[in-house]
Amino acid sequence: MSLDAAWALDWTHRAAVMIAENRAELTELDRAIGDADHGDNLDRGMRAVVTKLDAAQKAGNLPATPGGVLKVVATTLMATVGGAGGPLLGTAFLRAARSSDASAWGAENLVRALEEATSGLEARGHATSGDKTMADAWRPATVAAREAAEIGEDEVGVLSAAARAAADGARDTEPLQARRGRASFLGERSCGHRDPGAQSSALIFQAALDAARARSLEPIMVIEQA
């Protein structure tokens, strides 16, 4: 199995649903240490992404590669999501999009995309693991994905490892003191709260895994020989 443009499109749809379902929770997390708008902003951005991709599919102009789909995700998020979320996630998806022009991604392509995405996000936000930002989900997810690929896991195995690590990373931001972003202005008062960007990132990783699992369950068409 490999992950093609249909997977990337399904990932986008699933991520949009997850963000919409968790919009209020993400906003409440952001209310504690930020501007109380992360859930609303990201929900608006993901809705715009789905609208744009669905229109392209209806017109027969949907990109033919995972990278092409993710480039649309990137540019749309940058244009529609306010605050730091748009530039950070947009940069991550854009770097992932540029990592490979293959028509379908195997495990190694996937890991490379995550590594490029995470490096871009960290550079854009001047942050890394431990700073209480999105990087606390993306960096451990990328490390876990690389480790899974190195022991021979397929795309589902790689994304399963990444999603678990992202969820753990988001949870582990709770005791941290923020060192980047608006939350850093709170000093020790930022401790005890989960970072909203790390939490939304964990949801995005879970959506990628769910889309890959759905692809793996599709029946294989067998063409009978005449």
Side-chain angles (χ1 to χ4, degrees):
M1 185 195 74
S2 54
L3 304 178
D4 57 9
W7 161 76
L9 181 63
D10 189 25
W11 175 14
T12 301
H13 279 85
R14 290 173 184 270
V17 170
M18 280 195 171
I19 295 301
E21 291 177 344
N22 291 274
R23 176 184 58 80
E25 177 189 359
L26 293 172
T27 294
E28 285 306 306
L29 290 175
D30 198 32
R31 190 183 309 280
I33 58 175
D35 294 329
D37 59 2
H38 183 65
D40 292 335
N41 281 342
L42 191 52
D43 180 42
R44 180 175 63 252
M46 291 306 301
R47 289 177 187 274
V49 168
V50 168
T51 297
K52 195 162 190 175
L53 286 172
D54 284 354
Q57 186 177 39
K58 186 175 181 179
N61 297 323
L62 186 71
T65 66
V69 173
L70 296 186
K71 182 177 180 181
V72 175
V73 175
T75 56
T76 306
L77 290 178
M78 287 179 175
T80 58
V81 178
L88 290 173
L89 284 175
T91 298
F93 278 107
L94 187 59
R95 291 283 293 270
R98 292 174 175 173
S99 68
S100 173
D101 59 2
S103 61
W105 288 358
E108 184 58 36
N109 299 109
L110 182 58
V111 171
R112 189 179 306 116
L114 294 179
E115 289 174 341
E116 288 294 322
T118 300
S119 294
L121 182 146
E122 289 174 337
R124 187 67 183 262
H126 305 287
T128 189
S129 292
D131 286 341
K132 204 182 182 87
T133 70
M134 289 181 182
D136 285 289
W138 283 82
R139 177 51 64 186
T142 298
V143 171
R146 169 58 69 187
E147 291 174 348
E150 287 178 350
I151 63 172
E153 294 283 359
D154 64 4
E155 295 82 13
V156 171
V158 166
L159 284 172
S160 181
R164 285 195 303 270
D168 289 344
R171 185 192 63 241
D172 291 345
T173 63
E174 292 179 10
L176 298 177
Q177 179 173 327
R179 296 196 294 247
R180 292 289 185 273
R182 184 177 180 85
S184 65
F185 299 139
L186 298 178
E188 292 183 358
R189 286 183 294 157
S190 65
C191 298
H193 302 284
R194 186 173 304 196
D195 181 72
Q199 181 65 15
S200 62
S201 294
L203 296 175
I204 290 170
F205 274 100
Q206 183 63 47
L209 170 60
D210 291 346
R213 281 176 170 161
R215 297 288 291 172
S216 71
L217 295 174
E218 289 183 357
I220 299 174
M221 183 178 295
V222 177
I223 301 176
E224 294 183 0
Q225 297 295 324

